[in-house]
Amino acid sequence: AWEPNISPDGKQVVYKAYRDGSFDLWMLNLTDTGAPPIKLTDTAYDDREPQYAPDGTRIIFSSDRSGSYDIWQLDLVSSTISRLTQTVVEAHSPCWAPDGRRFAYVVSDRSGSKIFIQQPDAKTPQQVFSASTQVTGLQWLPGGREISYRALDRDAAGNAYTTLRVIGLETESSRDISPPGMDVFPFRANWLDSGTVVFSADGKVQILEIGAEPTTEEFEIHVALDRTPYAKKRTDFDSTTKRSVLGISYPTISPDGDRVAFGALGDLWLWSPAVPHLVQLTDDPAADQTPSWSADGKRLAYISDRDGQPRIQVLDLATDKRTTLMLDHKELSFPSWSPDGRQLAYFTDVPGNPLLHVVGQLTVYDLNTETSKTYLAPMPPQPINWSADGGHLLTTRLYPYSNRYREGLYLPVVVNLESGASHSITPWPDRSVTHATLSRDKRLVYVQDGVLNSLRLNDVYRATGSPEVLYNGLADTPSISRSGQQVVFQSGARLMQMDIKSGRVKDITPPLRWRMDQPTEEWILRAGRLFDGVASAYRHNLDIRIRGNRIAGIGPVNPNTQLSVLDASDQVVIPGLFESHAHIGDHNLSEPQGRAWLAYGITSVRDPGSNPYLANERKEAWNSGRRVGPRTFITGHNMDGNRVFYAVVEGISSDAHLERALQRSRELNVDFIKTYVRMSDRHQRRVVEFAHELGIPVTSHELLPAAAYGVDHIEHFTGTSRRGYATKISELGRSYQDVLEVLSVSGMGIVPTMVVPGVVLTFSEQDDLYDTLQFRTFYGKAAKKNYQLFMSFFGPGSEGYVDAYGDLLSQLTARGALVATGTDSPFTPFATGLHAELRLYEREGLKPWQILQAATIQSAKIAHVESDLGSIEVGKLADLVVIEGDPLTRISDLSQISHTIKNGRVYTLDELLKPSHVAADHVP
């Protein structure tokens, strides 16, 4: 229940609440404490910021019902809803004048805000204010001649500040009434009279008589925390028993419907289930993925990083000849053949766009003329399909409900290649489509609500008829044969094939297995100084005996040992570093990225959002030794409410859909579950119940009410929230007693990711982050410029934010809270970002041993693997890093790595900087 407003007679309160997948208006009777709340609006749209009219018969509110935010009115007598404004921008924060004959509202965009006054039956509003200021919380003063608002502004130096401001409607002049430096919250002030105002700021309820110093109204809230212990799942790091492959990525059926190409263990495979016959098409350390059939079924196009950067490879299935298309792009994904074989469609990076790993450009490349043409605005890359005539492309893209908030629906979009025009297809209102494919006979097969559906399209590729459910069970990534009769799709741990005509569905999961890479050697790592992750100081002159993948003993140096010795007697040995928040990606370089993590001493990565099938493929490729890389702990798709933003987020539309998503999590053996910013509290409770039954943790962005019913961890000091305002950190970067208290008492872990707003500051102060061997090898000057461009998005004033975050970091550390380390990569460079994050911790006053514990044992606790990882102790896994210098004196010395040991295997820095073996052009 948020943003309450009490009726003029004091008998009711109206508020917005998010119970059923959207914001609705609710009313509570204050005279009958036993009466249930009454739902006043009930749609798929968001209704926000309600306020009673002075006569108590009407409620004004903002809503995105019209395709952008407008101001609406609910008549409580007739129960009718009417639209009061006709804007094409975003109107919000409405409030009634004291006489009830006028209302004021704000229109905002990236340039700033305007305040308008309008009569309910008028069409033309009066503008009374315009500035670059961000305005919220309008409220009329009792005299009707002034309006107060909360302003978020910047001073001459670019530093953000907030204030409670009053504007005179007759003079259109304004004045600040809150004291300078106050952190004013973005809500309506309440005027007791024209000279006394109550508002929230600095974590307090403030009472201000104009011209005097404010006083505070103290209060307490007692929160019950249901933190019921549960049995944690134990990860099997040791078994050498063969395991079924879970990471089958982007299976695609051949045009004749007889074969399926897919990615697994980093390679491409060809599966003929009717025979049955499984063929490995590629066999090298490169990451080969997203195969696409030519229309004649003789060739496959796919993405490979075998050349050190993503390229489109073309494999002739008859001759095994491989051809590389030398397209000079930093990113390439989802290649798709045209029916005549003369063109390829794909997504690539947008020149000059710093969101390299998030945004792509739909491109069509002519193989004969070697020219390309782009379509649609930049968007998250998605699989691409051609129409049978080669004149249209089908993919999916995000359609936000408004510009005020970024979330919306992913829907199929059809692009006319001749005209460039496009249109979306909406199979069912207010439901996202997560995967879509198109047959030659214009049948759209897609996943919605977690099940497989079909919809007929007409000659101009618009829907005709009604959707049909093909398979009423968990379905992902469908691929349809040229005839439109055979569909292959994934269903958790199974690969399924369906004959559409008969409706028969059969399990065609390929018999593909893998084995954990386990060394058998016994040897000694001799440490001159050892930071074990437990003590705050070094231990000196120790032999660490490693047997296979675990630490078998730690003791004094034995010069007479017969075992092989890696001599680090003049160096420092620490536990492998742990990156707790990095989105490794769905279509990026995996082979060099795997080496980059280890080259920076990072042996474990917790990935809080990626395609679960591809995440498992990458995990199995690294764990099996097919490629060099860290351990990964995955969640798969983030679970959210129906509206989403990132393509990796799954919009949950119903209880049944949620259960299918949870089924996928169980079958794909995810390590934790992440809920995102618009999941309802009821659904989040169910996720917690389910995950804890499996013994795995749940994480989210929200602190309350999540802490009250068992969510284990939260991500980011600041992050997106369905409320439209932050719940842990204010817009000035400040945090208050409630946040510190709940985090400390609940035992929840938090991954601050301070580096995203602070990376400009960090890299400008310590430019050597760009000058390490690792950065120069894996990224280079172009990447430095690109990341500098992206981080400039955060603008001036980042130092103030970082210092404010540092206050919370220091207080949490002092209270013994569980603080880990993560970066939200790829918004910062993979692996480099973690070293920048640790330097920020040092900048804000944490001691180096505290920083190292956050990056090792505390991060392992958040991943629930502290019994195996995070410290150097007998019986734990042999994940260690050998460092030149003295990281307990200077945390920046952590980048001076000579050796990384992961799972008992030793890698020198020189080995990790060099590409792995590249296979020959001819693949047997």
Side-chain angles (χ1 to χ4, degrees):
W2 304 318
E3 299 187 21
N5 182 253
I6 297 174
S7 62
D9 61 9
K11 295 182 178 180
Q12 289 93 25
V13 60
V14 64
Y15 57 93
K16 71 173 186 180
Y18 188 87
R19 291 194 179 187
D20 304 310
S22 60
F23 284 107
D24 296 301
L25 303 188
W26 292 74
M27 185 170 65
L28 189 64
N29 190 332
L30 299 179
T31 62
D32 182 0
T33 56
I38 300 170
K39 197 173 190 180
L40 299 178
T41 63
D42 189 5
T43 69
Y45 300 103
D46 281 351
D47 300 331
R48 301 174 184 259
E49 303 158 331
Q51 187 188 54
Y52 280 99
D55 62 7
T57 65
R58 295 162 293 159
I59 293 171
I60 199 171
F61 62 99
S62 66
S63 176
D64 59 8
R65 296 162 178 250
S66 59
S68 63
Y69 269 86
D70 267 301
I71 309 305
W72 297 72
Q73 177 179 267
L74 168 63
D75 188 302
L76 295 173
V77 178
S78 64
S79 297
T80 58
I81 294 176
S82 55
R83 183 178 176 183
L84 301 183
T85 63
Q86 302 282 335
T87 67
V88 293
V89 285
E90 307 304 317
H92 60 91
S93 303
C95 64
W96 289 107
D99 59 10
R101 297 176 181 177
R102 299 170 295 163
F103 62 92
Y105 61 94
V106 182
V107 168
S108 296
D109 57 27
R110 291 185 177 181
S111 66
S113 303
K114 298 179 176 65
I115 298 176
F116 292 92
I117 296 175
Q118 185 174 327
Q119 295 178 353
D121 56 353
K123 300 299 182 183
T124 305
Q126 172 193 357
Q127 179 178 312
V128 296
F129 171 85
S130 178
S132 59
T133 310
Q134 292 299 314
V135 170
T136 56
L138 293 191
Q139 184 71 293
W140 292 76
L141 273 66
R145 296 181 178 181
E146 296 176 298
I147 292 176
S148 68
Y149 59 91
R150 184 270 202 163
L152 173 63
D153 223 327
R154 289 190 179 272
D155 61 21
N159 296 304
Y161 71 93
T162 58
T163 185
L164 181 61
R165 191 170 285 166
V166 171
I167 182 172
L169 301 181
E170 295 176 356
T171 63
E172 297 187 7
S173 61
S174 61
R175 68 186 193 278
D176 293 345
I177 62 170
S178 57
M182 182 170 272
D183 187 8
V184 181
F185 291 177
F187 311 112
R188 293 188 187 104
N190 292 277
W191 291 88
L192 305 185
D193 53 51
S194 295
T196 308
V197 61
V198 181
F199 64 102
S200 54
D202 291 346
K204 301 281 186 178
V205 176
Q206 307 280 345
I207 303 173
L208 176 64
E209 292 187 16
I210 306 302
E213 289 297 314
T215 60
T216 60
E217 181 72 20
E218 302 292 340
F219 66 96
E220 289 184 350
I221 292 177
H222 296 268
V223 180
L225 302 179
D226 180 7
R227 312 293 296 177
T228 305
Y230 61 95
K232 296 179 181 179
K233 175 184 173 183
R234 185 72 184 266
T235 303
D236 180 5
F237 294 107
D238 300 297
S239 173
T240 57
T241 303
K242 285 190 173 182
R243 315 177 190 203
S244 296
V245 165
L246 296 177
I248 292 176
S249 66
Y250 295 108
T252 178
I253 193 169
S254 60
D256 60 12
D258 293 337
R259 297 166 293 169
V260 180
F262 60 89
L265 298 170
D267 294 311
L268 293 187
W269 304 76
L270 191 60
W271 172 227
S272 303
V275 177
H277 186 53
L278 181 64
V279 178
Q280 186 173 354
L281 296 176
T282 64
D283 186 7
D284 59 61
D288 305 324
Q289 61 188 47
T290 57
S292 172
W293 290 91
S294 60
D296 58 11
K298 296 180 179 180
R299 293 174 294 170
L300 285 174
Y302 62 97
I303 301 294
S304 176
D305 60 14
R306 65 193 301 269
D307 295 333
Q309 68 181 82
R311 304 278 194 194
I312 295 179
Q313 309 278 347
V314 178
L315 177 65
D316 188 299
L317 295 174
T319 66
D320 292 332
K321 181 180 179 181
R322 189 183 331 200
T323 305
T324 303
L325 298 185
M326 301 303 291
L327 303 174
D328 190 19
H329 295 290
K330 298 181 181 69
E331 292 283 326
L332 284 166
S333 54
F334 300 117
S336 181
W337 287 102
S338 64
D340 60 11
R342 297 176 182 177
Q343 298 178 93
L344 276 169
Y346 50 83
F347 278 96
T348 187
D349 52 284
V350 182
N353 191 314
L355 292 171
L356 176 66
H357 302 283
V358 179
V359 173
Q361 179 65 66
L362 180 60
T363 304
V364 173
Y365 179 77
D366 191 297
L367 296 168
N368 294 329
T369 65
E370 298 184 352
T371 59
S372 61
K373 187 175 181 180
T374 60
Y375 297 88
L376 299 178
M379 54 187 277
Q382 298 283 283
I384 305 166
N385 295 265
W386 288 80
S387 63
D389 61 7
H392 297 79
L393 290 180
L394 175 98
T395 185
T396 53
R397 69 175 303 183
L398 176 67
Y399 289 87
Y401 275 78
S402 74
N403 290 325
R404 186 181 180 192
Y405 299 105
R406 64 185 187 176
E407 291 84 9
L409 304 176
Y410 275 87
L411 297 173
V413 57
V414 176
V415 184
N416 184 309
L417 298 183
E418 181 178 354
S419 67
S422 64
H423 66 267
S424 63
I425 300 171
T426 305
W428 196 260
D430 301 303
R431 293 287 186 269
S432 277
V433 169
T434 53
H435 306 279
T437 185
L438 185 64
S439 71
R440 182 174 58 183
D441 62 351
K442 300 184 181 67
R443 179 193 292 269
L444 181 70
V445 174
Y446 60 96
V447 174
Q448 195 168 57
D449 302 335
V451 302
L452 195 66
N453 298 269
S454 173
L455 181 66
R456 288 290 184 181
L457 306 181
N458 60 21
D459 289 341
V460 292
Y461 298 92
R462 295 186 181 274
T464 177
S466 300
E468 172 191 1
V469 175
L470 296 178
Y471 179 71
N472 195 24
L474 174 64
D476 291 303
T477 58
S479 173
I480 194 165
S481 65
R482 188 169 175 80
S483 67
Q485 292 305 305
Q486 298 293 322
V487 177
V488 165
F489 62 94
Q490 293 177 275
S491 182
R494 300 174 298 162
L495 184 64
M496 312 294 285
Q497 185 171 5
M498 179 179 190
D499 182 281
I500 291 181
K501 187 174 183 179
S502 67
R504 289 196 306 269
V505 179
K506 58 182 178 180
D507 186 335
I508 60 165
T509 307
L512 188 57
R513 299 170 72 80
W514 67 282
R515 192 193 308 270
M516 183 80 74
D517 173 46
Q518 297 292 19
T520 57
E521 298 81 8
E522 186 170 354
W523 55 283
I524 298 291
L525 173 60
R526 183 159 294 157
R529 289 171 290 174
L530 171 66
F531 176 79
D532 60 14
V534 179
S536 60
Y538 291 127
R539 299 165 63 186
H540 295 273
N541 301 320
L542 294 167
D543 277 358
I544 305 168
R545 182 161 49 89
I546 296 172
R547 182 187 301 131
N549 69 330
R550 290 194 178 264
I551 298 170
I554 302 173
V557 169
N558 179 8
N560 299 317
T561 182
Q562 300 301 305
L563 296 175
S564 174
V565 176
L566 173 57
D567 189 0
S569 55
D570 60 349
Q571 296 169 296
V572 173
V573 176
I574 66 170
L577 298 175
F578 213 121
E579 159 67 77
S580 291
H581 190 116
H583 300 276
I584 300 180
D586 287 349
H587 47 81
N588 58 280
L589 296 169
S590 288
E591 192 282 324
Q593 189 191 151
R595 291 184 288 111
W597 289 114
L598 297 184
Y600 276 98
I602 299 164
T603 56
S604 293
V605 179
R606 175 173 169 267
D607 184 344
S610 55
N611 178 303
Y613 300 97
L614 186 58
N616 258 319
E617 183 199 1
R618 182 169 45 238
K619 182 176 184 178
E620 291 167 348
W622 284 339
N623 284 350
S624 67
R626 289 290 301 159
R627 295 204 301 270
V628 174
R631 305 178 190 277
T632 56
F633 302 92
I634 64 171
T635 182
H637 296 307
N638 294 165
M639 297 183 190
D640 207 356
N642 193 47
R643 298 186 186 191
V644 300
F645 177 68
Y646 292 111
V648 74
V649 176
E650 181 173 15
I652 302 299
S653 57
S654 64
D655 292 355
H657 186 185
L658 176 61
E659 293 305 316
R660 286 187 279 270
L662 295 175
Q663 174 194 339
R664 185 198 300 114
S665 295
R666 179 193 297 111
E667 293 188 16
L668 294 185
N669 197 28
V670 302
D671 300 293
F672 64 107
I673 296 177
K674 180 181 177 184
T675 61
Y676 209 52
V677 298
R678 282 185 64 100
M679 172 159 274
S680 70
D681 295 316
R682 183 173 62 84
H683 278 169
Q684 194 168 33
R685 283 179 181 270
R686 170 58 185 145
V687 171
V688 170
E689 175 188 49
F690 173 88
H692 289 181
E693 287 174 357
L694 292 184
I696 62 175
V698 176
T699 189
S700 185
H701 282 198
E702 304 281 81
L703 178 58
L704 285 174
Y709 52 75
V711 171
D712 298 84
H713 311 302
I714 50 178
E715 310 296 321
H716 314 296
F717 271 175
T718 187
T720 48
S721 166
R722 62 178 172 266
R723 294 166 174 80
Y725 43 86
T727 57
K728 304 182 292 289
I729 296 283
S730 75
E731 287 172 294
L732 296 187
R734 302 178 193 173
S735 191
Y736 295 96
Q737 178 268 346
D738 56 337
V739 172
L740 177 65
E741 192 72 15
V742 171
L743 278 171
S744 301
V745 172
S746 69
M748 297 177 81
I750 185 167
V751 185
T753 64
M754 291 171 58
V755 72
V756 176
V759 76
V760 176
L761 176 67
T762 308
F763 282 151
S764 63
E765 290 183 347
Q766 304 186 57
D767 196 57
D768 64 294
L769 281 163
Y770 285 132
D771 197 37
T772 62
L773 276 172
Q774 294 98 319
F775 192 91
R776 292 201 305 268
T777 300
F778 293 109
Y779 301 108
K781 292 182 179 180
K784 174 181 178 179
K785 182 179 180 181
N786 193 70
Y787 277 108
Q788 286 175 326
L789 176 64
F790 171 66
M791 288 305 163
S792 67
F793 166 79
F794 292 98
S798 62
E799 184 169 0
Y801 285 109
V802 173
D803 288 343
Y805 295 173
D807 291 341
L808 178 58
L809 177 68
S810 299
Q811 291 181 71
L812 288 170
T813 303
R815 289 283 295 267
L818 181 56
V819 177
T821 55
T823 62
D824 214 11
S825 293
F827 294 119
T828 63
F830 291 117
T832 310
L834 184 64
H835 287 259
E837 178 83 355
L838 301 188
R839 293 187 187 194
L840 282 177
Y841 284 27
E842 184 180 51
R843 183 185 188 278
E844 298 308 318
L846 266 67
K847 298 175 181 178
W849 67 267
Q850 294 173 313
I851 301 169
L852 283 176
Q853 283 190 343
T856 54
I857 188 63
Q858 292 186 182
S859 290
K861 288 178 180 178
I862 280 186
H864 283 195
V865 290
E866 67 272 22
S867 60
D868 292 291
L869 292 165
S871 61
I872 301 174
E873 299 179 77
V874 174
K876 286 200 171 184
L877 291 164
D879 285 14
L880 311 102
V881 187
V882 181
I883 304 288
E884 306 280 358
D886 183 5
L888 284 189
T889 300
R890 296 172 303 277
I891 209 69
S892 58
D893 283 1
L894 281 176
S895 61
Q896 299 178 32
I897 292 164
S898 67
H899 298 78
T900 299
I901 298 103
K902 179 240 175 174
N903 205 47
R905 294 205 181 276
V906 180
Y907 303 90
T908 68
L909 179 62
D910 184 60
E911 290 171 336
L912 292 169
L913 296 180
K914 294 178 181 178
S916 301
H917 171 70
V918 177
D921 285 340
H922 185 80
V923 181

